[in-house]
Structures are given as C-alpha cells and as structure tokens.
Amino acid sequence: MTRLSAFQRVASQYADIADSLLVYIEEAHPSDGWASSDAPYQIPKHRCLKDRLKAAELLNLEVPGCLVVADTMENSSNAAYGAYFERLYILKEEKIVYQGGRGPEGYSISELRSWLDQYRNSLENSVTVVIHV
C-alpha cells in the first residue's frame, strides 16, 4: 500500500472527527533534477505557480475525497511546518497537537492512527452539556 492510499484510508476512517488536507509542496524528485526512477509521474521542477497547481491536480486524482491545496512558490507552508519531504500534522483550534517525524523515515501512519484513536476515545468519554436558555 502506498503512503497516499494509507493516508486516504485514515482520512476516511476518521472523517467523523477530523478534516483532512494535503498540501502539495515543492517536488522532491523533479524529472529535470534529482529524479526518481520509480516515480509514478514525471514532474519537472516547478517554475511558476501554474506548474505547481498542475502537479497538485495529479495528486488530487490519487486521493479522491481529500482536499488538496498547493504551497506558494515561496514554499511558506513547507518552511513553516518543516515538511520537506513529507510530514503528518494534526491541528486543533489552530494549534499543533501532533507533529509526525520528517518523511520518508519519520512518516508513520500507525502513529497518526493511534493519536486519532485516543482522540476519538476522549470524545466518546466526555460529557457534553447543552443548556437552552
């Protein structure tokens, strides 16, 4: 199973408690740079936002049901989150509550799933009181 399909599975499984977002960042293995021979697509280095958006559209085809956005050409999301090459995050109320390791070595879907399981359990065990005035 590819990382994307594993991510998509987790996104579907936890859709009741979490929204998922994929941010397409700078291409790690551009076809006109440090190319990967087993890459499913040959994507050249992005020279403009239009190039990056075109590549993000390919990612969108790979993960139907997940929202895909593209980083700026200044790579502001990549820099802010230290994502290069890939990274998993969970944000709650605009704060980072889970930060996975940097990919590819530190990328752990099982760790993400564990965090989401614990969060789901905490929601099920909490008491919500609604008062109508």
Side-chain angles (χ1 to χ4, degrees):
M1 175 184 305
T2 69
R3 287 191 170 144
L4 278 179
S5 60
F7 176 81
Q8 184 179 17
R9 240 172 136 170
V10 169
S12 296
Q13 183 178 358
Y14 296 94
D16 60 322
I17 62 167
D19 296 321
S20 298
L21 173 71
L22 287 168
V23 181
Y24 185 85
I25 60 173
E26 181 179 1
E27 185 61 37
H29 299 286
S31 57
D32 56 348
W34 187 34
S36 174
S37 59
D38 62 347
Y41 300 102
Q42 296 301 310
I43 300 170
K45 181 173 175 59
H46 308 140
R47 309 246 183 268
C48 62
L49 187 57
K50 185 177 177 182
D51 292 346
R52 186 162 290 178
L53 292 172
K54 185 177 174 184
E57 287 176 14
L58 293 173
L59 180 61
N60 195 33
L61 294 173
E62 293 290 321
V63 287
C66 286
L67 181 61
V68 176
V69 298
D71 199 357
T72 65
M73 289 306 292
E74 293 76 29
N75 301 309
S76 55
S77 294
N78 191 355
Y81 288 94
Y84 202 72
F85 299 106
E86 56 192 330
R87 203 163 201 176
L88 297 167
Y89 280 90
I90 297 175
L91 286 80
K92 182 179 176 193
E93 298 171 8
E94 300 181 19
K95 292 189 169 114
I96 296 170
V97 294
Y98 168 83
Q99 177 181 331
R102 288 188 181 174
E105 294 85 13
Y107 188 95
S108 176
I109 287 287
S110 61
E111 194 176 89
L112 178 72
R113 186 184 308 274
S114 177
W115 194 99
L116 289 165
D117 280 336
Q118 289 176 4
Y119 180 65
R120 178 178 275 150
N121 289 337
S122 74
L123 291 175
E124 291 170 357
N125 295 328
S126 67
V127 177
T128 303
V129 177
V130 178
I131 301 172
H132 181 77
V133 180

